[in-house]
Amino acid sequence: MVQASEHEDKALDRDCTTLSRHVLQQFQGFSAQAQDLSALMNRVALAGKLVARHLSRAGLMEGVLGFTGEVNVQGESVKKMDVYANDVFISVFKQSGLVCRLASEEMDEPYYIPENCPIGRYTLLYDPIDGSSNTDTNLSLGSIFAIRQQEGDDIDGKAKDLLSTGDKQIGAGYILYGPSTMLVYTMGKGVHSFTLDPSLGEFILTEENIKIPDSGSVYSVNEGNFWQWEESVREYVRYVHRTEGYSARYSGAMVSDIHRILVQGGVFLYPGTVQKPEGKLRLLYESAPLAYVIEQAGGRATTGRMNILDVVPQKLHQRTPLIIGSKENVAKVESFIQNGH
Ligand code: P6P
């Protein structure tokens, strides 16, 4: 019998380590929950493939780029790509039998899939397109997702059980639409990255158990907001300006900036301002999922005064200040905010 070379064996095994197989391996078995979550992650991957395909052809098609003319619950002008991606997530989960509710940045209230509720009882919280200001300029974008298990019976249809701390997240992650399309996720057993192989139509395992460096040279913040920040945040930025070894990187898409920091180390900040102390970023489907990933990789995520994963939201679209990244860099920012220096 012809034996494949060890290299060929490894290459074949890697190509066969798809996302759904990897999720099952995370649970070391084939329990109902493991199979549900594996199937659920497969639907997230399908959503990512559909969004990536649409983005790759956006410049060639009518009606993909630009604004819809609507304003969403956040008070932000809605891009056509926001609507498309939001609808993609709904479509891939409608017939899945897995998810009862979908809560999105783009929808005032959660979307219920009644026929799934007694069965799936999972909820997907997501930001369908993160960084949509980059849509029309062919720059990197992301989708962010978190999986929670419905608690109680949600009789009033207000999904109040979602207003709980980030440790209730079963899984979380993001899809990065860059030169390649990557999916990064955690189920509480480390952080793992996958790269979409368009020739296979599969996300293939790229790196397991990713660890964020304890410190890094990158600081990522929109310094155009300098005039709006509280003095302690201004003092931190003045500190990095006068300290050798820091580099500023800010893309306008948090998923892209935070993925860089996951790989190279550093810190991303979107602080509150004097006028809006709660900041811009949403807790339940932006900051908490990313906090889960970064903390699973050995980093930190804080509001500046408390851990993101400990915050109890009062409403679905609650905003929060966010300081996230390598633990030493985050601690440095906290030292300015908490000690006023
Ligand atoms: P600003 C995109 O809308 C987003 O939520 C993040 O992805 C991004 O980092 C931030 O807002 C950009 O906001 O105010 O710097 O343009």
Side-chain angles (χ1 to χ4, degrees):
M1 185 176 78
V2 176
Q3 285 287 346
S5 72
E6 189 180 332
H7 172 72
E8 284 164 341
D9 268 351
K10 280 187 177 177
L12 184 56
D13 192 46
R14 172 189 286 264
D15 282 351
C16 295
T17 307
T18 60
L19 178 63
S20 45
R21 177 174 131 181
H22 193 267
V23 174
L24 285 172
Q25 287 170 346
Q26 295 283 295
F27 290 87
Q28 290 154 1
F30 296 89
S31 67
Q33 184 190 34
Q35 295 192 50
D36 281 351
L37 291 170
S38 174
L40 201 158
M41 283 301 296
N42 229 15
R43 308 306 286 183
V44 171
L46 176 58
K49 288 185 259 187
L50 288 163
V51 170
R53 184 181 67 174
H54 208 59
L55 284 170
S56 71
R57 302 186 302 193
L60 303 170
M61 295 161 59
E62 290 297 317
V64 177
L65 299 176
F67 291 92
T68 63
E70 304 294 320
V71 175
N72 67 13
V73 64
Q74 321 293 341
E76 295 165 346
S77 298
V78 178
K79 287 284 187 67
K80 292 173 185 171
M81 199 61 217
D82 290 320
V83 173
Y84 173 81
N86 193 61
D87 292 348
V88 160
F89 275 84
I90 291 171
S91 301
V92 303
F93 278 99
K94 254 181 173 174
Q95 284 80 29
S96 69
L98 292 165
V99 166
C100 169
R101 300 171 301 183
L102 294 160
S104 157
E105 174 180 315
E106 299 302 329
M107 301 189 293
D108 298 11
E109 301 295 335
Y111 181 97
Y112 281 75
I113 308 174
E115 60 274 19
N116 288 350
C117 284
I119 306 166
R121 299 177 65 80
Y122 289 107
T123 300
L124 188 84
L125 300 97
Y126 64 106
D127 180 2
I129 290 289
D130 169 69
S132 49
S133 60
N134 288 355
T135 323
D136 300 350
T137 52
N138 193 34
L139 296 175
S140 294
L141 294 162
S143 298
I144 308 169
F145 62 89
I147 302 162
R148 290 178 180 240
Q149 192 115 33
Q150 179 169 320
E151 296 193 341
D153 47 26
D154 188 15
I155 286 178
D156 65 0
K158 293 291 183 192
K160 290 193 182 80
D161 60 295
L162 294 179
L163 305 182
S164 55
T165 52
D167 61 353
K168 296 287 188 183
Q169 295 175 110
I170 295 169
Y174 57 84
I175 300 165
L176 173 57
Y177 309 104
S180 69
T181 299
M182 292 193 79
L183 187 149
V184 176
Y185 88 100
T186 184
M187 292 277 175
K189 299 176 174 74
V191 176
H192 318 288
S193 69
F194 291 74
T195 302
L196 179 61
D197 180 338
S199 66
L200 284 175
E202 287 282 2
F203 280 96
I204 301 300
L205 178 65
T206 304
E207 190 172 350
E208 280 191 304
N209 300 313
I210 301 170
K211 290 299 175 195
I212 186 172
D214 288 344
S215 68
S217 63
V218 169
Y219 76 102
S220 184
V221 65
N222 181 346
E223 297 201 35
N225 296 330
F226 187 91
W227 62 281
Q228 300 182 63
W229 293 331
E230 60 181 77
E231 190 55 25
S232 60
V233 174
R234 292 180 179 179
E235 275 304 299
Y236 168 72
V237 173
R238 291 185 187 111
Y239 161 78
V240 296
H241 286 171
R242 66 174 181 270
T243 304
E244 188 178 354
Y246 281 96
S247 294
R249 295 284 186 276
Y250 193 77
S251 74
M254 172 167 64
V255 163
S256 179
D257 292 325
I258 291 175
H259 184 71
R260 176 194 286 111
I261 285 165
L262 173 66
V263 174
Q264 298 175 349
V267 61
F268 172 92
L269 307 87
Y270 205 103
T273 64
V274 173
Q275 293 84 359
K276 292 183 179 175
E278 73 282 1
K280 170 182 182 183
L281 301 177
R282 278 58 57 157
L283 175 65
L284 279 171
Y285 41 76
E286 288 181 315
S287 300
L290 294 172
Y292 191 16
V293 169
I294 293 297
E295 295 216 352
Q296 276 286 311
R300 292 260 335 277
T302 173
T303 64
R305 292 180 172 83
M306 71 183 292
N307 287 339
I308 288 289
L309 294 180
D310 295 337
V311 177
V312 179
Q314 302 306 308
K315 54 187 178 180
L316 187 64
H317 300 291
Q318 176 164 316
R319 298 172 190 263
T320 177
L322 177 65
I323 296 142
I324 187 170
S326 298
K327 55 187 174 184
E328 291 175 19
N329 297 74
V330 171
K332 175 60 78 176
V333 182
E334 282 179 312
S335 72
F336 280 85
I337 291 175
Q338 292 175 8
N339 307 326
H341 81 270

